[in-house]
Amino acid sequence: MIDIVNAVLAQASSRPDEVAIVDKDGATTTFGRLRDQVLAVRDGLRAKGMSDGDGVLFAVRTSAAGVALFLGVLAAGGVLITADTAVGPELVAARMRAYRPRWLVAESVLYPASVFGPMRSLCRRRGWSVPDLRQAIADPSIHHVYSGRWLPGVPRHAIKVGHLAGASAAAEVRLDAPALIVFTSGTTERPKGVVHSLRTLTNAVQLLARHFPFGEGDVMHTDGIVAGLPALVSGARLSLATPERFAQDLADRKVTHAYGVPVQLADVFDVLPKWPEHVRYLLMGSAPAAPAVLRKAISAVPHGQVLSVYAMTEAIPIAVGRAEDKLAHTEQGHPGDLLGELSDGVAARIAEDGELLVTGPSVCLGYLGEPPMTELPTGDLARLDDRGRVIMLGRKKDMLIRGSYNIYPGLYEPTIALLPGVREAAMVGLPDPVTEDETVVLAVVAGEGVDRQALTCRLRRQLPEIIDAEAVPDRIVVLDELPRSGRSRKLDRPALRASLAGRTT
């Protein structure tokens, strides 16, 4: 098996003068230059004492330099630990204790942003989320490698990326050892770190490349390193996206493959309803796509394929579905969200409580500090149709209880979102202090120009005819937008519940 690092290096050897990456600012990096950078990072880290299995806290934004550092650390035998921008110091400390990193690889600006409060506030005001690196910076046992120019706060003994050098020091390829740790949730007592090996990462990249194959001269437009690796291992060009220029760059960079989060793509469709004909694949992932977004996507790329990727941090990808099939499933009145066909090698079964359990080549090794994983419990309630396709019915943790009836919001939200005048829909439960039952609240975002009061009245008439009687909401609230969180802009149900708790209409 050729792992992702050596696959990129092999492509670089065969096409050194071709452009590998177009950065967010338009600067280009050739495959040959990328290869030189990856090897310099590998050799330099090994020369400075990196050993197999060393933890490397990774705080570098997506860029050509970030890609080189990501691959270089893997090539040096390090274990990448992604720095999270959305957690407080207590959880950061707990995660540091769970897997003590020996190295910090970060952009130089993050040092003063972490150490100096005003700098941190300035970054946040400008929309740049800053990870809390104070504990790592203060730890004298940690080796520091920084990109960019030296700034106050960067330790004097820190090594500049451009100064990494050493004799060729290829580390042994350890396909089944930990290579990447991504903390997804958990508490200060039990941080939840997803552990991937080089093998599972490579399988994930290869599976993605099979779903949307690349040819000579193809260009992948996305804002993530892992999402962009299928292009690089295939010898295609990676174009790094920004929300502000996403639409413009589609045309200017002759993009053939694009990947994005549905909520963010919805904004692009408003700016550019019809995409250039050279876009052959549009991939949506990281969060569910509302029917309105699916319709816009199909309209924007009439000559290409629009695919929705069902994946988790623990397994990428689990299933992939065509947007037309997803939309038809909902429009024909079938319950749930059609996720699509299972990826090659992925097997699924439904547990007694309805939870989807999967195994496959890209399923992670397990969670940090826990026994190896033999089967991944997705947390999603699902069924398999007669063609083996996965249909999601909801999240286990989102289940509402009304009397003796269990309500799964994901079973009804796509259908409600198809109704005229509704752009988005979400159902949550609020505790009833008298009955200790749950009050079911439906929050909707109205379409442009739709009268809110008229929409509420119409929904009260329509809903009993199209959803189960037990699931008809007690209250209907029309909002300007649904709260979302994280880079994937997923629906933030806790925030929605909190905002609705104080409302009576």
Side-chain angles (χ1 to χ4, degrees), residues 57-62 81-89 91-92 95 107 110 113-114 120 123-124 127-134 182-184 485-489:
L57 188 59
F58 191 78
V60 182
R61 288 173 293 178
T62 303
I81 306 168
T82 57
D84 197 334
T85 61
V87 297
L91 196 50
V92 169
R95 292 176 176 183
E107 295 179 63
L110 291 179
S114 289
R120 189 180 187 85
C123 290
R124 292 192 181 279
W128 181 23
S129 297
V130 178
D132 190 336
L133 303 178
R134 285 173 291 182
V182 182
F183 286 96
T184 60
S485 63
R487 287 190 61 201
S488 63
R489 308 301 298 151

Side-chain angles (χ1 to χ4, degrees), residues 62 220-225 227-228 238-242 246 257-260:
T62 303
M220 176 72 173
H221 196 51
T222 185
D223 67 348
I225 293 178
L238 171 58
S239 164
L240 297 177
T242 63
F246 197 104
H257 299 56
Y259 176 89

Side-chain angles (χ1 to χ4, degrees), residues 42-317:
R42 181 198 70 183
D43 297 343
L45 290 176
R46 296 297 286 193
K48 294 295 183 181
M50 179 172 285
S51 301
D52 291 343
D54 277 2
V56 181
L57 188 59
F58 191 78
V60 182
R61 288 173 293 178
T62 303
S63 61
V67 173
L69 284 165
F70 184 95
L71 295 174
V73 170
L74 292 177
V79 179
L80 288 160
I81 306 168
T82 57
D84 197 334
T85 61
V87 297
E90 294 82 7
L91 196 50
V92 169
R95 292 176 176 183
M96 291 274 288
R97 290 193 299 270
Y99 196 103
R100 296 186 178 278
R102 290 194 63 227
W103 301 76
L104 170 60
V105 175
E107 295 179 63
S108 59
V109 69
L110 291 179
Y111 285 88
S114 289
V115 174
F116 306 123
M119 181 78 170
R120 189 180 187 85
S121 299
L122 176 64
C123 290
R124 292 192 181 279
R125 285 199 300 272
R126 293 186 175 181
W128 181 23
S129 297
V130 178
D132 190 336
L133 303 178
R134 285 173 291 182
Q135 183 167 339
I137 294 171
D139 188 335
S141 69
I142 288 181
H143 304 273
H144 296 263
V145 177
Y146 70 95
S147 63
R149 63 189 182 91
W150 187 90
L151 293 172
V154 176
R156 288 292 178 182
H157 62 272
I159 308 162
K160 186 178 175 66
V161 169
H163 296 163
L164 285 173
S168 180
E172 179 186 355
V173 177
R174 301 158 66 241
L175 284 173
D176 297 310
L180 173 68
I181 298 174
V182 182
F183 286 96
T184 60
S185 58
T187 65
T188 54
E189 289 77 23
R190 294 189 65 188
K192 188 177 181 181
V194 177
V195 183
H196 275 284
S197 66
L198 198 53
R199 185 186 300 277
T200 61
L201 275 178
T202 298
N203 287 335
V205 170
Q206 291 178 343
L207 285 175
L208 288 170
R210 287 179 206 162
H211 284 296
F212 40 94
F214 293 89
E216 196 70 28
D218 283 348
V219 180
M220 176 72 173
H221 196 51
T222 185
D223 67 348
I225 293 178
V226 174
L229 285 175
L232 295 178
V233 301
S234 303
R237 182 178 301 178
L238 171 58
S239 164
L240 297 177
T242 63
E244 301 79 15
R245 287 191 50 86
F246 197 104
Q248 184 64 44
D249 287 341
L250 285 175
D252 292 349
R253 300 182 181 183
K254 298 294 186 292
V255 170
T256 57
H257 299 56
Y259 176 89
V261 177
V263 171
Q264 295 169 345
L265 287 172
D267 294 334
V268 179
F269 298 141
D270 290 340
V271 175
L272 190 68
K274 297 292 183 183
W275 287 16
E277 291 189 5
H278 48 70
V279 180
R280 303 199 313 274
Y281 290 93
L282 169 57
L283 308 126
M284 298 187 292
S286 300
V293 177
L294 291 173
R295 291 195 194 96
K296 289 182 178 180
I298 294 168
S299 176
V301 192
H303 305 291
Q305 290 191 48
V306 180
L307 303 175
S308 182
V309 179
Y310 170 54
M312 303 173 62
T313 304
E314 291 89 339
I316 308 171

